[in-house]
Amino acid sequence: MRAARLIKMVLLLQSRPAMTAAELARELEVSERTVTRDAQALSEAGVPVYADRGRAGGYRLVGGYRTRLTGLARTEAEALFLSGVPGALREMGLQDAASAARLKVSAALLPSLRDAPDTAAQRFHLDAPAWFREPETPARLPVIAEAVWDDRRIRAVYRRGDSAVERELEPYGLVLKAGVWYLCARVAGRGVFRTYRIDRFDSVDPLGERFDRDPDFDLPGHWAEHAERFARSILHAEVVVRLSPDGVRALPHAVDPLAAREALDGAGEPDAEGWVTVTLPVESEEVAHDQLRALGPEAEVLAPAGLRERCAADAARLAALYGRPRAR
């Protein structure tokens, strides 16, 4: 524990001209007395930590001292900021870079690499609202990931139903959504951004030329817009549901969050029992039946009649199941 703190202290001082004891204590989450003792320990170990006395004093490293925890390549520096998702790194072919980066420290980055967190965030976005499951790795993911990191154009054949289209793309970023990989890319020559499922690429050929990234492109924002458009596009039906207070709280966890938000935003005032009636957008009656069963007695389907009858049949089966003596 102390060794890690001492390393962090050296790297903090290496990245700034000087720091006061209070600043170091705040960064290291220790007392100023501990900072003093740590500075003395570093000095005794041969690290040239110098203490300036007085009100404006503090600590600094003498003579431009730098640790040997430097020398990160750009790929390593960017991989460092993705080290919390090792499975994704492995699938993109970046596990070696991540392993090397973990042996170094992000605070030791040279000035030319200090934009690594921003560049990494604009090239990979993890959208995993459900429990994580191990995704299948699309065969062409490593090639596409390399083009994303290197800002190189690709020529790709993409399947759309029974047909296929060929496109020259400028690959901007990757998204891992519930185990499925997507590519956000700009269509070369057209200036429009599209989202593609990577497992639907029949072929991907890297091209030699690089492209200039649009500095205003925001990968998380682009993905959020795409996800919302897709969610809206599949909500073709509506059901009317009466919800208890517990049902209101549970609804966003049982159905599509967008559908739940729209339904609850349009809800009327609670009735005498505290229940509210909502109109819920759904993909189909069959999907709604599966989703609303999770709410149990906290939801009453009012319409359509067919769905209400199915839920009533479920309730009758449950009553019969729990009404008989327990099997021994």
Side-chain angles (χ1 to χ4, degrees):
M1 183 72 177
R2 190 189 187 198
R5 188 176 72 242
L6 292 174
I7 291 174
K8 183 176 181 180
M9 183 175 180
V10 173
L11 295 171
L12 285 169
L13 294 174
Q14 182 175 297
S15 64
R16 307 179 194 181
M19 296 183 69
T20 65
E23 290 171 337
L24 284 168
R26 185 166 55 251
E27 291 282 353
L28 299 173
E29 297 181 346
V30 296
S31 67
E32 293 186 30
R33 181 173 296 180
T34 298
V35 168
T36 301
R37 287 198 297 264
D38 285 351
Q40 182 177 353
L42 286 170
S43 181
E44 292 173 354
V47 178
V49 177
Y50 181 78
D52 290 316
R53 305 297 179 183
R55 181 178 298 178
Y59 294 91
R60 59 186 174 86
L61 292 174
V62 178
Y65 174 85
R66 296 188 68 82
T67 74
R68 296 182 180 180
L69 298 175
T70 54
L72 268 70
R74 173 164 288 278
T75 303
E76 295 173 341
E78 291 169 336
L80 178 66
F81 295 94
L82 301 177
S83 58
V85 280
L89 282 168
R90 182 178 62 253
E91 293 175 23
M92 289 190 291
L94 294 173
Q95 68 273 28
D96 291 339
S99 178
R102 280 192 292 269
L103 299 177
K104 304 170 185 180
V105 183
S106 60
L109 292 176
L110 296 173
S112 61
L113 301 180
R114 285 180 183 155
D115 64 338
D118 296 331
T119 58
Q122 291 306 323
R123 285 169 172 79
F124 178 80
H125 175 56
L126 176 65
D127 183 1
W131 287 105
F132 179 78
R133 64 180 177 86
E134 190 69 19
E136 295 183 5
T137 305
R140 293 168 181 84
L141 175 60
V143 175
I144 294 174
E146 185 176 353
V148 168
W149 289 108
D150 208 24
D151 294 338
R152 290 189 182 275
R153 291 185 178 182
I154 59 174
R155 182 176 289 110
V157 176
Y158 187 74
R159 279 180 284 110
R160 287 182 175 173
D162 296 331
S163 62
V165 295
E166 182 175 315
R167 291 282 187 270
E168 187 173 313
L169 302 174
E170 296 172 349
Y172 266 64
L174 297 168
V175 175
L176 177 59
K177 167 68 173 180
V180 180
W181 284 94
Y182 295 86
L183 170 67
C184 299
R186 184 169 59 184
V187 181
R190 295 172 57 183
V192 294
F193 287 93
R194 296 283 186 265
T195 302
Y196 303 89
R197 273 188 62 145
I198 290 182
D199 58 6
R200 293 180 183 170
F201 282 111
D202 284 339
S203 66
V204 176
D205 296 312
L207 302 178
E209 65 269 22
R210 283 190 169 92
F211 63 90
D212 294 326
R213 294 179 65 89
D214 181 351
D216 295 327
F217 177 77
D218 175 49
L219 179 59
H222 171 83
W223 174 255
E225 291 178 6
H226 167 82
E228 184 166 333
R229 286 197 303 270
F230 177 76
R232 288 181 183 277
S233 72
I234 63 174
L235 300 177
H236 301 298
E238 290 182 342
V239 299
V240 180
V241 186
R242 186 168 170 260
L243 298 169
S244 72
D246 285 342
V248 169
R249 287 188 289 271
L251 186 66
H253 305 288
V255 304
D256 180 85
L258 173 66
R261 185 169 67 247
E262 290 189 358
L264 295 175
D265 286 346
E269 293 296 321
D271 61 21
E273 298 177 346
W275 289 49
V276 298
T277 299
V278 302
T279 299
L280 178 68
V282 295
E283 186 174 347
S284 65
E285 282 190 31
E286 290 74 18
V287 172
H289 179 238
D290 289 339
Q291 293 175 331
L292 293 174
R293 279 192 299 190
L295 298 180
E298 308 305 328
E300 177 191 3
V301 174
L302 303 180
L307 180 59
R308 180 178 174 85
E309 291 171 2
R310 294 174 69 174
C311 292
D314 290 342
R317 289 174 59 197
L318 282 172
L321 182 64
Y322 285 98
R324 65 192 184 193
R326 179 183 175 188
R328 296 185 181 275

